Amino acid sequence: MADGFARFDFTPEVEAATAPLWERVKGRVTPLEWQVHAPLIARINSLKREKNAVILAHNYMTPEIFHGVGDYVGDSLGLAREAARSDAKIIVQAGVHFMAETSKVLCPDKTVLIPDLRAGCSLASSITGADVRLIKQRYPGLPVVTYVNTTAEVKAETDICCTSANAVQVVEWAAKEWGVDRVILIPDEFLARNVAAQTDVKIIAWHGRCEVHERFDVADIAEMRLAYPGAEILAHPECPEEVLAAADFAGSTAAMNDYVVTRKPKQVVLITECSMASNVAADAPGTEFIGPCNLCPHMKRITLENIHEALVKEQFEVTVEPALAGRARLAVQRMIDLPPPAQPARYDLVKARHHVDVELI
Ligand code: 13P
Ligand code: SF4
């Protein structure tokens, strides 16, 4: 093959081509592992150029994917914005299925690929379009704000989407726009509870949960405080409200990243998916990452091997029925068009107003 990377050997050419990437991951990937990853990374990066493809990689991808082949990396909001801006012909979503659907909804003319169709999400599978139609019948006249962690079918029934980075801003915007004091925020119960503690808008919530974040417990935080009294503890808003109340800061994966990179804590605990710490570490050389983390089995289905396969065979294409995509696009685009918040959402107020009730459907 013309680029010389056809065979997956760790040749001097591969080593030279991937040397700057090795510098980013060498604290988290062993030299032996790199000899396996580097030839694939070189080949994938060359295929992207040949095929005019980009890879959108979520913060929960393993470091060899995130730093090795991701063209755009970030949280759900950042990736949705990048998908909308991209002029590539092919988008490979290194993330889960709802993210690929969001990219397709925003870019109907592009080919959107997901390397493993089984990369789902417990939040996205907690609710259907029919459920949302029933909720709307039960609460007529109230705006429906939907977390991006949902299928396109659910987004299509929705007024506006949000992510964990902008949920408070979107809920307040919707209440003002509709002239109401109650907003439906679905499907993540914990995100809804954590947003409720940040705003005077009353929240009606669904009982969906992230299987990764719901498993964290206040006991995890108490243990960390005892063992590492100086450590700063950051938690994702998909965690239970008591976990957020016990943490020092909470925010989306992008907000956690910004916190660590700008505040440079000596020791930090990231109460979220395990790859988060591995990926931030490259930009936070003076920080020690400690403490518990949980793996997302869906995110972990994406590997360098299946990304390579996806580019070679142009599989697995994610499609969304055009009329449904059009309706879902309105909800996602409305979110994207809101001005970015001056600061990423902070959930510190959870401490002051701990346990604000939501109406759970
Ligand atoms: P954010 O990257 O938007 O914080 O979301 C985390 C997540 O669980 C995505 O699946
Ligand atoms: Fe879904 Fe949670 Fe995995 Fe994100 S981390 S994809 S919300 S199950």
Side-chain angles (χ1 to χ4, degrees), residues 61-110:
M61 290 292 105
T62 50
E64 67 276 7
I65 295 175
F66 186 89
H67 293 293
V69 300
D71 295 291
Y72 301 103
V73 294
D75 66 355
S76 310
L77 180 59
L79 296 184
R81 287 208 173 105
E82 287 305 336
R85 273 199 286 263
S86 165
D87 53 14
K89 196 170 137 270
I90 298 176
I91 291 176
V92 180
Q93 198 81 37
V96 293
H97 195 271
F98 76 78
M99 295 178 176
E101 272 196 343
T102 306
S103 294
K104 184 65 188 177
V105 157
L106 289 170
C107 312
D109 299 332
K110 297 189 198 313

Side-chain angles (χ1 to χ4, degrees), residues 303-320:
T303 62
L304 282 176
E305 284 75 9
N306 58 28
I307 290 174
H308 175 256
E309 196 86 341
L311 277 165
V312 170
K313 298 185 180 162
E314 301 195 9
Q315 68 180 22
F316 296 95
E317 187 169 358
V318 174
T319 56
V320 181

Side-chain angles (χ1 to χ4, degrees), residues 27-351:
R28 297 282 165 168
V29 174
T30 67
L32 218 56
E33 285 170 331
W34 190 247
Q35 292 193 18
V36 177
H37 294 324
L40 267 168
I41 289 172
R43 184 72 195 120
I44 288 168
N45 287 335
S46 161
L47 274 169
K48 286 190 309 197
R49 289 188 291 274
E50 272 170 40
K51 298 201 169 202
N52 187 15
V54 288
I55 297 183
L56 306 185
H58 187 263
N59 287 325
Y60 295 161
M61 290 292 105
T62 50
E64 67 276 7
I65 295 175
F66 186 89
H67 293 293
V69 300
D71 295 291
Y72 301 103
V73 294
D75 66 355
S76 310
L77 180 59
L79 296 184
R81 287 208 173 105
E82 287 305 336
R85 273 199 286 263
S86 165
D87 53 14
K89 196 170 137 270
I90 298 176
I91 291 176
V92 180
Q93 198 81 37
V96 293
H97 195 271
F98 76 78
M99 295 178 176
E101 272 196 343
T102 306
S103 294
K104 184 65 188 177
V105 157
L106 289 170
C107 312
D109 299 332
K110 297 189 198 313
T111 302
V112 176
L113 306 175
I114 187 146
D116 187 327
L117 277 168
R118 295 168 302 172
C121 169
S122 65
L123 278 172
S125 57
S126 74
I127 192 161
T128 64
D131 291 328
V132 186
R133 286 193 289 278
L134 285 174
I135 293 172
K136 288 196 290 192
Q137 273 173 27
R138 183 157 153 195
Y139 299 97
L142 293 187
V144 182
V145 176
T146 300
Y147 197 26
V148 282
N149 297 39
T150 46
T151 60
E153 187 209 11
V154 165
K155 290 184 177 82
E157 297 294 339
T158 306
D159 295 304
I160 183 166
C161 286
C162 74
T163 71
S164 57
N166 62 12
V168 176
Q169 184 204 10
V170 172
V171 160
E172 292 188 341
W173 174 86
K176 198 160 162 228
E177 197 73 7
W178 266 251
V180 291
D181 65 352
R182 287 193 306 169
V183 165
I184 299 161
L185 173 56
I186 49 177
D188 185 356
E189 175 188 343
F190 291 137
L191 179 72
R193 290 188 185 281
N194 291 323
V195 168
Q198 284 260 293
T199 176
D200 291 326
V201 178
K202 294 184 193 68
I203 303 292
I204 298 165
W206 185 252
H207 51 268
R209 292 183 177 186
C210 161
E211 68 187 86
V212 175
H213 291 97
E214 72 168 341
R215 281 185 286 146
F216 290 109
D217 196 77
V218 264
D220 294 326
I221 302 208
E223 254 175 53
M224 286 293 113
R225 294 263 186 235
L226 212 61
Y228 305 96
E232 295 176 38
I233 302 183
L234 282 51
H236 194 277
E238 290 167 9
C239 293
E241 55 192 323
E242 315 80 61
V243 170
L244 258 64
D248 297 308
F249 172 85
S252 74
T253 56
M256 285 189 194
N257 192 317
D258 290 350
Y259 183 105
V260 174
V261 172
T262 56
R263 299 187 44 160
K264 303 182 175 48
K266 264 199 157 68
Q267 289 182 318
V268 76
V269 183
L270 299 182
I271 301 289
T272 190
E273 214 275 346
C274 300
S275 290
M276 185 70 211
S278 308
N279 294 331
V280 190
D283 295 314
T287 297
E288 185 190 357
F289 294 84
I290 47 174
C293 65
N294 289 329
L295 285 168
C296 173
H298 310 290
M299 292 280 182
K300 290 312 124 16
R301 285 199 182 275
I302 309 301
T303 62
L304 282 176
E305 284 75 9
N306 58 28
I307 290 174
H308 175 256
E309 196 86 341
L311 277 165
V312 170
K313 298 185 180 162
E314 301 195 9
Q315 68 180 22
F316 296 95
E317 187 169 358
V318 174
T319 56
V320 181
E321 193 272 312
L324 188 132
R327 290 194 290 136
R329 192 175 314 123
L330 289 177
V332 181
Q333 197 61 50
R334 240 183 196 157
M335 167 186 83
I336 288 178
D337 290 345
L338 287 184
Q343 291 184 330
R346 293 186 59 113
Y347 294 84
D348 325 72
L349 287 178
V350 172
K351 284 191 184 79

